[in-house]
Amino acid sequence: MHIQTAAVQTLRDHEHGAVVPPVHLASTYELDPRTDDGLYAYQRGGNPTRAQLERVLAELDGAAHGFAFATGMAATGAVFSTLEVGSEVILPASVYGGTFRFVDKIFPTRGLTGRYVDDLGALTDEDFTEATRMVFVETPANPTLRVTDLRRIVELAHRHGAIVAVDNTFMTPVLQRPLELGADVVVQSATKYLAGHSDLLAGTVTTDDPQLAEAYALSQKAEGGVLAPLDSFRLIQAIKTLPLRLERQQDNAAQIAAFLREREDVTVVHTPGSFSEEEARLHAAQAEGPGAVLSFELAPDLDRVAFLQALRYPAYAVSLGGVESLICRPATMTHEAMTPQARATAGISDELLRLSVGIEHIDDLLADLEQALAAAAR
Ligand SMILES: *Cc1c(COP(=O)(O)O)cnc(C)c1O
């Protein structure tokens, strides 16, 4: 089954013939007095609507197990919940800001250590210690779109007894399926592309590993950061158009990148693979497209604030993946927790702008960028 078909056809209510799955809002379920058991008992531990969503999530990633959480950070927290005291996690310095906050503030209270590396692509055997239990990867990286060789990281990590967790938010299973490349667990902020309309917070975890799956189910039950039935239903519905939305967004983004690269008043344009031929080759070998996020810098003689004020369509806001275009300034809006030095090392200048491209008509988006660039000329 192709992913476009799986997104739409995985769930059919065969009992009633409904083409859209039902929503089960019950907080509690009747048990059999002979066994004190039942298919479901209490909503936090599991319920039919969340279970349906989790089936779709597993199907899309080609995974044995899927889990739905209240937010992407709850999902990331569940992934970190398997780490024992004394464990160390290797992460890229440019990791998502919320993950950086988790490592910065929560890890010490749990006896965990996060070790940041500037370039995951340069990871070697020497970077692993006895305590390394996990490598946490984002590829392409945010907002530089640098690409990491997932197969290589998997090979390295597994040789040292560490698991590989991939935050696949930017790619989604439509464009990249890290479990097929050997990763142990995939986490996504479904708030972004999966939900796709900037109106829902959710997080997902998928894995083939039965032991990890047990731990994530325990996190749902014990820590309680689960997705509610109505939001599970909304996410099921949103996922149906994910491949279609992403296709248009990616197409628009490619045309915008080409437009910006032609401009003399735009100095750099980052897209996955743009850093080097090696990264272009890597991305092509592990993903099916560049996605729809790009970043760029205006020439020094342009007025950034005037440019942003003149833009009519991309809203100046954090987040990404929605049908509406958004633009933000990572140095102050998404990566402000990094030290200025760490940002500089990661290639995140104060002037870098990140654009999440929506499904608007490309002619309107290009005309808007063109008039805003003109307005920014001092
Ligand atoms: C937004 C985001 C998260 C966190 O997701 P929330 O749903 O906001 O909790 C994690 N990783 C990446 C890459 C993100 O963009």
Side-chain angles (χ1 to χ4, degrees):
M1 191 166 28
H2 291 90
I3 203 158
Q4 291 80 356
T5 310
V8 175
Q9 292 284 354
T10 298
L11 303 176
R12 291 275 285 272
D13 177 8
H14 291 294
E15 195 182 337
H16 305 98
V19 297
V20 168
V23 186
H24 291 273
L25 296 173
S27 61
T28 191
Y29 293 81
E30 270 191 281
L31 303 179
D32 184 336
R34 291 167 301 181
T35 58
D36 290 351
D37 213 353
L39 199 51
Y40 296 101
Y42 185 66
Q43 192 190 107
R44 174 162 26 82
N47 64 84
T49 305
R50 199 178 82 216
Q52 286 180 315
L53 167 63
E54 290 172 337
R55 254 185 69 203
V56 177
L57 298 174
E59 183 74 32
L60 296 186
D61 259 325
H65 310 275
F67 301 89
F69 290 87
T71 64
M73 282 321 302
T76 301
V79 167
F80 289 146
S81 76
T82 63
L83 297 164
E84 286 171 8
V85 175
S87 300
E88 179 187 83
V89 180
I90 295 176
L91 310 98
S94 65
V95 75
Y96 172 71
T99 306
F100 184 91
R101 187 182 299 115
F102 196 111
V103 171
D104 193 37
K105 306 284 190 212
I106 310 287
F107 267 28
T109 69
R110 296 188 185 171
L112 304 173
T113 319
R115 198 145 60 78
Y116 289 101
V117 294
D118 291 331
D119 183 6
L120 269 183
L123 207 64
T124 66
D125 286 310
E126 280 70 58
D127 289 304
F128 289 80
T129 71
E130 293 268 286
T132 311
R133 290 285 170 275
M134 181 186 290
V135 182
F136 193 91
V137 187
E138 283 177 24
T139 180
N142 173 26
T144 57
L145 288 321
R146 290 287 308 273
V147 175
T148 299
D149 184 347
L150 280 174
R151 291 180 182 90
R152 182 174 172 273
I153 297 290
V154 164
E155 212 248 314
L156 258 178
H158 286 179
R159 195 173 338 134
H160 292 275
I163 66 168
V164 175
V166 178
D167 184 335
N168 203 35
T169 299
F170 275 46
M171 288 282 98
T172 85
V174 174
L175 298 176
Q176 182 170 270
R177 287 176 292 284
L179 297 178
E180 291 175 1
L181 304 171
D184 301 277
V185 50
V186 171
V187 56
Q188 281 183 90
S189 169
T191 308
K192 313 298 165 51
Y193 286 103
L194 264 49
H197 297 74
S198 307
D199 61 359
L200 170 64
L201 263 71
T204 73
V205 174
T206 48
T207 186
D208 283 330
D209 185 310
Q211 255 176 308
L212 290 177
E214 212 172 291
Y216 304 144
L218 176 67
S219 167
Q220 288 185 317
K221 201 167 176 174
E223 300 185 291
V226 294
L227 195 63
L230 274 175
D231 283 345
S232 296
F233 173 76
R234 293 173 65 212
L235 190 51
I236 288 168
Q237 293 297 84
I239 285 173
K240 291 177 180 176
T241 57
L242 167 69
L244 205 54
R245 283 185 273 113
L246 198 51
E247 197 177 304
R248 172 60 63 86
Q249 286 170 283
Q250 182 168 258
D251 200 46
N252 280 351
Q255 294 194 58
I256 288 173
F259 165 82
L260 293 174
R261 286 194 172 110
E262 288 294 308
R263 302 280 309 194
E264 287 190 349
D265 46 6
V266 174
T267 51
V268 283
V269 181
H270 298 303
T271 53
S274 67
F275 183 79
S276 66
E277 272 179 28
E278 163 77 356
E279 289 197 7
R281 195 185 54 74
L282 274 178
H283 191 70
Q286 65 190 16
E288 282 164 45
V293 174
L294 54 96
S295 56
F296 61 97
E297 279 179 43
L298 303 179
D301 56 330
L302 260 65
D303 182 342
R304 168 175 39 82
V305 174
F307 171 75
L308 292 166
Q309 284 179 323
L311 279 177
R312 183 164 168 208
Y313 299 124
Y316 190 51
V318 295
S319 200
L320 58 114
V323 289
E324 54 288 293
S325 296
L326 300 176
I327 192 165
C328 74
R329 186 184 172 208
T332 52
M333 294 165 77
T334 58
H335 289 68
E336 76 283 4
M338 289 170 76
T339 64
Q341 198 188 344
R343 276 200 299 272
T345 312
I348 307 168
S349 82
D350 283 357
E351 293 303 313
L352 191 69
L353 298 173
R354 185 189 76 190
L355 181 62
S356 167
V357 180
I359 63 167
E360 301 92 345
H361 197 286
I362 186 61
D363 292 350
D364 293 329
L365 292 176
L366 291 176
D368 192 29
L369 285 165
E370 183 147 35
Q371 65 81 23
L373 285 168
R378 292 189 248 230

